[in-house]
Amino acid sequence: MKDYSQKVKELFDSQLADWSQARDNYRQLDNVKVREISFAGYSIAVQFNPGRITSSAAKVDARSIEARPCFLCGNNRPAEQKGVPFSDDFVILINPFPIFRRHLTIVSGSHIPQRIAGRFGTMLSLARALPEYVIFYNGPQCGASAPDHLHFQAGNRGFLPVEKDFSNPLLCSKALTARSTEAWLWRGYGRGMVTLKGTDDTEIAGLFDRFYAGFARSQPDRPEPMLNILAYITGHEWVVHIIPRSVHRPACYFAEGDAKILLSPASVDLGGVFITPREEDFNKITQADISDILTEVCLSEEEVKKLTSQSI
Ligand SMILES: [Zn+2]
């Protein structure tokens, strides 16, 4: 797999030169407000980003999805949007509603449902092809605003706190080694996660498949077990953070009046940057709110530990 860094850099340069909406939205990132909320041993950033309202508030029930033109299908994308082909059936696009300074959407050429089964290897390939990026996957009921069209996203490294938190031995430790791949579990991090780390993509994918199968048995009525996944390369190793989910959106998302916090957690939020498209939510969200949201939408650390020991 060759390195796509230069091609993607050129894509960014040309798109920001030629596509005014994207250029404006990336410039708006200069005005994005950020708060840092401290927890014991780590922190969560909160980003006020009004450009994300469409995604956060997206109606993703089957009827709403069927009623709208799919914004990831080639025929419906903006005429200005160009892409770089990746493998046989994906195209790398710049995301016109950025959270990151460099934010990509990697879209399947076919209008097929968002599913990770059989596609995890593509995610690892993307991580290797784009070493300056974190590749992330939001399941169809875990923050994807196009659950009907297979896609990944990517954002520049060094932005999500989970990257540096992974090197903190107080927050995570190696739970087991299977051949050359390690599985790490988190503790005191407010959300249950398991992290796979290794140099052999086939082996990592094998462990992921086992975890997925074990988790699928506990969520038999879902289109797939609820997951967010973040993957990147450090040195010669893949690091893959798997965040199993129990709920799509927290109760505060549906609340009325002052109790409402419009926040639809996905990979970026669970990686440590909470996105609030409404300024009132940005101003009022507290440490306790964040803890409650994480507890509500994620599995507990004990549950993930049990799932890992039973499945991997
Ligand atoms: Zn589509």
Side-chain angles (χ1 to χ4, degrees):
M1 181 60 62
K2 62 183 185 222
D3 192 322
Y4 277 64
S5 299
Q6 184 59 30
K7 273 188 187 173
V8 167
K9 185 184 176 304
E10 287 165 9
L11 176 71
F12 255 103
D13 290 346
S14 66
Q15 289 278 264
L16 295 184
D18 301 339
W19 185 10
S20 60
Q21 186 200 16
R23 181 169 61 243
D24 290 347
N25 289 348
Y26 276 86
R27 278 199 186 136
Q28 283 297 326
L29 285 179
D30 293 338
N31 306 321
V32 155
K33 291 191 206 166
V34 180
R35 285 170 63 197
E36 196 156 301
I37 297 188
S38 294
F39 292 77
Y42 66 96
S43 55
I44 296 273
V46 184
Q47 184 191 86
F48 167 47
N49 188 333
R52 296 296 299 177
I53 187 71
T54 311
S55 178
S56 292
K59 288 198 168 74
V60 292
D61 62 284
R63 185 174 295 183
S64 304
I65 290 296
E66 275 172 28
R68 60 102 171 99
C70 173
F71 59 90
L72 293 182
C73 273
N75 292 339
N76 302 329
R77 296 201 295 256
E80 299 93 331
Q81 191 166 35
K82 308 294 180 210
V84 171
F86 180 83
S87 77
D88 290 341
D89 52 352
F90 282 86
V91 59
I92 301 172
L93 307 169
I94 78 162
N95 188 320
F97 302 105
I99 293 169
F100 299 80
R101 292 275 164 188
R102 288 287 177 265
H103 193 155
L104 306 169
T105 310
I106 301 106
V107 177
S108 167
S110 314
H111 184 82
I112 53 174
Q114 179 80 332
R115 299 287 184 273
I116 193 63
R119 294 297 183 174
F120 183 76
T122 302
M123 201 174 174
L124 297 182
S125 300
L126 279 165
R128 188 160 57 184
L130 296 167
E132 294 166 11
Y133 286 83
V134 175
I135 315 300
F136 52 100
Y137 172 81
N138 295 326
Q141 297 177 330
C142 297
S145 49
D148 53 340
H149 194 129
L150 176 64
H151 66 285
F152 300 96
Q153 294 183 68
N156 54 275
R157 296 279 314 275
F159 178 77
L160 293 177
V162 69
E163 288 180 52
K164 68 171 168 33
D165 292 341
F166 184 53
S167 62
N168 182 345
L170 298 175
L171 293 175
C172 58
S173 54
K174 189 165 38 173
L176 61 92
T177 304
R179 298 164 69 97
S180 68
T181 303
E182 299 169 355
W184 292 59
L185 288 167
W186 295 70
R187 61 172 181 273
Y189 202 45
R191 69 215 98 154
M193 294 178 29
V194 57
T195 298
L196 305 179
K197 181 168 171 263
T199 53
D200 185 323
D201 52 350
T202 308
E203 252 184 58
I204 298 170
L207 284 198
F208 174 79
D209 288 347
R210 277 152 58 184
F211 183 84
Y212 176 100
F215 189 26
R217 282 192 286 277
S218 68
Q219 293 189 345
D221 301 329
R222 300 279 182 183
E224 71 175 17
M226 295 175 77
L227 287 168
N228 295 102
I229 309 168
L230 301 119
Y232 50 90
I233 290 267
T234 55
H236 298 291
E237 290 187 309
W238 278 277
V239 173
V240 182
H241 303 300
I242 302 167
I243 310 159
R245 298 280 298 270
S246 53
V247 172
H248 178 203
R249 284 165 168 164
C252 61
Y253 180 94
F254 303 99
E256 302 285 343
D258 198 44
K260 186 177 185 74
I261 297 175
L262 198 155
L263 192 143
S264 186
S267 295
V268 170
D269 309 83
L270 303 177
V273 179
F274 270 46
I275 305 300
T276 55
R278 303 194 310 169
E279 190 161 25
E280 60 191 286
D281 299 330
F282 172 79
N283 289 330
K284 79 181 176 202
I285 195 167
T286 64
Q287 192 205 45
D289 293 327
I290 290 172
S291 286
D292 288 348
I293 291 168
L294 289 173
T295 303
E296 195 177 344
V297 305
C298 296
L299 268 62
S300 71
E301 292 171 349
E302 273 309 307
E303 286 169 321
V304 173
K305 186 178 177 184
K306 196 172 156 199
L307 199 52
T308 302
S309 65
Q310 287 172 348
S311 56
I312 291 185

